[in-house]
Amino acid sequence: MLGIALLAGPGVATAQPTAPYYERSFVLAADARCDLFRPDVAAALSAATQQARSAALRAGTSEAEVRAAAARALSRARTVACADPQLATVRQRVEHAFAGWARMPRMEFPGVRASWIANRVPAAGASWTLTQASVTGASPVTLGYTAGEVSDRLTAVVSFVGRPRPYAARIVMRDPRRSPRAWLGGANALPPASVRRGFWAVSFANADTALLKSGKQSGEAWRFPAEAALALEQLDPREAFAVEFLFRDDSVASATFEAGDFAAGRAFLSLGPLRGLAA
């Protein structure tokens, strides 16, 4: 018996905070073994699974409990026969619950203080596909993914007010090797420098005007290695991280972001551009 109640739509609460995460992780693991779903449904389910992980952590579940739920789900999936009739029933429920995600052009993944905005509508030129907005002083900063660029590299676009161009930029966040527990020291609070790690930008250029905040005429685009995104996915969704811009007078301008449902946004984008629409 599978004994799985699962898969009402995203965001449905249950008595156990880890229950939706366990259930969706189980089905993802079963799909990996038994090839249950089309790629678009599997991608949608992956995004919902990441949302469920974030919801469990926001509800106060420890990271250890969340990892244990995922381990139980994987173990259970290994014991279920691909021909099990109850698995076929679960497959139908999943397809009904998540197939509609494949037709969604945009999605917002809200956090405690900020949101990631995903956009699958194709554009003729440069455009954002996943973004979170912040500021440093009076200068707007946008972090995310852009269409038509290296898809696995995060990009930060900044339009500084009354300052020269910085000579370097980096993303800083908690280093799990130095501090295994999530750092939840308050709104926009970064962990101490002694337990942070940083990822330096690998390139910069003048930003395409389509990527600038409304009303801005110019800005710079700083691109970061793929490892930065992989590290960001490992943070607790409530944790803050920052993009720091370094100037030759030794000053640093910092824009703070929230990890949030970044992983869910990436999974949603893996559905690919939505055909038949244009920005």
Side-chain angles (χ1 to χ4, degrees):
M1 299 288 290
L2 295 184
I4 208 154
L6 125 137
L7 297 169
V12 175
T14 65
Q16 296 295 326
T18 58
Y21 181 60
Y22 167 83
E23 293 168 351
R24 293 167 187 173
S25 296
F26 164 80
V27 180
L28 277 179
D31 176 53
R33 284 187 59 237
C34 304
D35 194 23
L36 300 176
F37 307 114
R38 302 188 311 272
D40 58 340
V41 175
L45 178 59
S46 178
T49 303
Q50 294 295 340
Q51 280 188 305
R53 173 185 178 272
S54 294
L57 291 167
R58 291 188 185 109
T61 307
S62 70
E63 181 65 39
E65 290 176 290
V66 171
R67 288 196 299 267
R72 291 196 305 272
L74 180 60
S75 178
R76 184 67 178 128
R78 288 170 176 163
T79 68
V80 175
C82 293
D84 190 310
Q86 291 191 61
L87 188 59
T89 299
V90 169
R91 175 183 180 179
Q92 292 175 353
R93 291 177 182 174
V94 171
E95 288 181 340
H96 177 74
F98 294 109
W101 282 40
R103 299 186 294 274
M104 295 179 66
R106 298 176 180 87
M107 192 164 182
E108 180 177 356
F109 296 89
V112 178
R113 300 174 301 277
S115 297
W116 289 99
I117 308 297
N119 178 19
R120 297 173 54 221
V121 179
S127 66
W128 289 106
T129 57
L130 183 66
T131 61
Q132 188 177 134
S134 185
V135 294
T136 175
S139 304
V141 183
T142 303
L143 179 69
Y145 285 119
T146 61
E149 301 288 351
V150 180
S151 60
D152 61 350
R153 287 187 178 176
L154 283 167
T155 296
V157 170
V158 58
S159 297
F160 276 107
V161 177
R163 298 202 65 162
R165 174 180 287 176
Y167 72 86
R170 63 191 175 197
I171 295 177
V172 296
M173 64 184 75
R174 175 177 61 89
D175 186 341
R177 296 168 300 180
R178 299 176 180 176
S179 178
R181 293 185 178 181
W183 182 262
L184 305 176
N188 297 327
L190 295 175
S194 60
V195 296
R196 295 181 197 172
R197 61 175 166 176
F199 299 88
W200 291 96
V202 295
S203 67
F204 76 93
N206 292 329
D208 192 294
T209 55
L211 303 178
L212 301 175
K213 282 291 186 181
S214 177
K216 297 299 179 183
Q217 303 300 315
S218 64
E220 294 84 46
W222 297 82
R223 294 185 176 86
F224 299 91
E227 292 78 10
L230 295 176
L232 180 53
E233 285 191 335
Q234 304 307 311
L235 294 181
D236 184 290
R238 297 165 291 178
E239 286 189 87
F241 69 99
V243 178
E244 295 182 339
F245 301 95
L246 284 67
F247 294 85
R248 298 198 182 279
D249 63 0
D250 294 330
S251 63
V252 178
S254 181
T256 306
F257 296 85
E258 182 179 89
D261 282 344
F262 173 70
R266 288 188 78 190
F268 179 71
L269 289 185
S270 70
L271 288 161
L274 196 61
R275 297 178 180 179
L277 291 179

